[in-house]
Amino acid sequence: MAGPRRAAFSEMAACALLLLTTSAALPRAAVAFHRAPEPRDAVDARHDFDFRSSISASDQQQQQANSGFASPTDNGFATPLSIESTYSESSPYSVPSASSASVSSASSAASGSRDPAALIAASAGLAYPMRAPIYVAKSQLPVMMSLKATWSKYTDLSSWDGAKPCAQWFRIKCWTDGTIRRMEMSGLGLGGGLPSNIGDLTTLQELLFTRNWLTHALPDSLSKLVRLQNFQIWSNYFNGSISPALGNMRSLYQLHLNINYFTGGIPSTFSRLTNLYRLFVSSNQLSGTFPSVICTITSLRELRISENRFEGTIPACVGRLKLLYYMYVDTNQFTGRLPNSIGSMANLQNL
């Protein structure tokens, strides 16, 4: 028996060596994929870049301190399943790759290993050992199947299958416990209203429904998404008043409601959005005087309320927005002089 065993072992070793040689010969470009840089005006027009992409490290630290947690692993969630693709370094919204250090350390560790699989993974810039597939949590599967039934007439959601790993689900990202972290359904031609049971996906961090045909009012069930940090529904047909329930989303960094048909004003509950960086409500049918609640959101870096029906004067309280960089209030019916308090907004670059 020794002869056959020795021959089998030799064949296995030869196969491993062939794999190592083939993998080592692969150019780095074959295993490292990057998005091509996009022109700045194209990105600005879409607004659907990742919400972390233009927030500086110091700002992120300040936001983490304000929100009461230091990292995504400390806010009641599991670790994200994977680090998403980012724009290249030449893009105006590039994000430093958090995976490069981990891949480098993994490669260094693997270089001293005699495990062929570890060496192959290291040469391809991959982590080793590989993670087991993550499946959508059973607690959220019924909601996802309900959403699938609602939207399947607009787009192909056949990949939304409980038997498939979350990584294969179309436009979905999961946490490592299988709960939903990101839902990106932009530009799919979705119609009807936003289903109320989407509020049951309480682990959502990002919810993006831009450039669709969605209509009706926003459901109050969105108030349950207290962990949501990025909510974008621009360029749809939503109407009615902006739901006060959005004020419960106290973790929000970005709120993009622009290019819809919302009426009324901005709810007073928005004073709770103490982590908000961007508030975009331009190109709606909002009316009344300048929303004084905006003056209480002192975390704002960018405010867009242009192309509405606001009237009266711009109040002096806007001077409290010391961190504001961009303030767009054009194409309204404002009258009078700008308040002197604007002169104290040292960071303001565009008005």
Side-chain angles (χ1 to χ4, degrees), residues 57 59-72 253 275:
D59 281 345
Q60 289 187 47
Q61 292 171 1
Q62 182 62 43
Q63 282 295 338
Q64 290 164 358
N66 291 343
S67 58
F69 53 84
S71 69
Y253 285 173
N275 293 308

Side-chain angles (χ1 to χ4, degrees), residues 221-232:
S221 61
L222 291 174
S223 64
K224 295 187 286 187
L225 303 182
V226 296
R227 303 292 187 180
L228 199 67
Q229 297 182 0
N230 186 18
F231 185 40
Q232 299 190 31

Side-chain angles (χ1 to χ4, degrees), residues 34-262:
H34 300 281
R35 292 183 185 174
E38 296 188 26
R40 176 141 194 162
D41 56 349
V43 180
D44 283 343
R46 292 189 299 109
H47 294 309
D48 58 350
F49 46 84
D50 187 273
F51 74 97
R52 293 171 295 254
S53 58
S54 61
I55 300 175
S56 68
S58 60
D59 281 345
Q60 289 187 47
Q61 292 171 1
Q62 182 62 43
Q63 282 295 338
Q64 290 164 358
N66 291 343
S67 58
F69 53 84
S71 69
T73 58
D74 296 330
N75 68 350
F77 288 133
T79 309
L81 175 60
S82 63
I83 296 173
E84 295 181 16
S85 302
T86 58
Y87 295 104
S88 69
E89 292 182 359
S90 59
S91 169
Y93 292 108
S94 63
V95 185
S97 175
S99 60
S100 58
S102 59
V103 170
S104 176
S105 60
S107 300
S108 300
S111 63
S113 172
R114 295 185 179 181
D115 184 348
L119 293 171
I120 291 172
S123 65
L126 301 174
Y128 180 79
M130 303 300 289
R131 289 181 178 174
I134 306 291
Y135 292 87
V136 172
K138 292 182 179 179
S139 60
Q140 294 186 345
L141 197 55
V143 177
M144 296 302 294
M145 291 301 100
S146 174
L147 296 176
K148 176 182 178 180
T150 301
W151 292 330
S152 287
K153 58 185 175 183
Y154 302 107
T155 190
D156 181 12
L157 296 178
S158 57
S159 62
W160 288 21
D161 185 339
K164 294 182 178 180
C166 181
Q168 297 180 16
W169 283 48
F170 180 63
R171 302 284 188 92
I172 297 295
K173 300 290 184 183
C174 292
W175 301 96
T176 53
D177 63 356
T179 54
I180 307 300
R181 176 174 69 86
R182 187 176 197 263
M183 182 179 291
E184 203 283 290
M185 307 298 289
S186 298
L188 297 178
L190 303 182
L194 197 62
S196 60
N197 60 349
I198 203 167
D200 295 330
L201 300 176
T202 55
T203 55
L204 274 170
Q205 186 183 56
E206 296 183 78
L207 188 57
L208 312 175
F209 281 88
T210 69
R211 294 171 289 120
N212 283 297
W213 297 86
L214 295 168
T215 185
H216 306 310
L218 294 176
D220 289 340
S221 61
L222 291 174
S223 64
K224 295 187 286 187
L225 303 182
V226 296
R227 303 292 187 180
L228 199 67
Q229 297 182 0
N230 186 18
F231 185 40
Q232 299 190 31
I233 56 170
W234 56 270
S235 193
N236 277 284
Y237 292 84
F238 290 109
N239 52 59
S241 300
I242 296 175
S243 174
L246 300 186
N248 285 344
M249 299 178 177
R250 302 189 184 193
S251 297
L252 273 180
Y253 285 173
Q254 290 197 154
L255 179 58
H256 292 201
L257 308 178
N258 46 314
I259 318 178
N260 279 287
Y261 290 87
F262 290 115

Side-chain angles (χ1 to χ4, degrees), residues 6-21 116:
R6 182 173 300 172
F9 180 81
S10 298
E11 291 178 5
M12 291 175 62
C15 289
L17 182 59
L18 178 61
L19 284 171
L20 284 172
T21 304

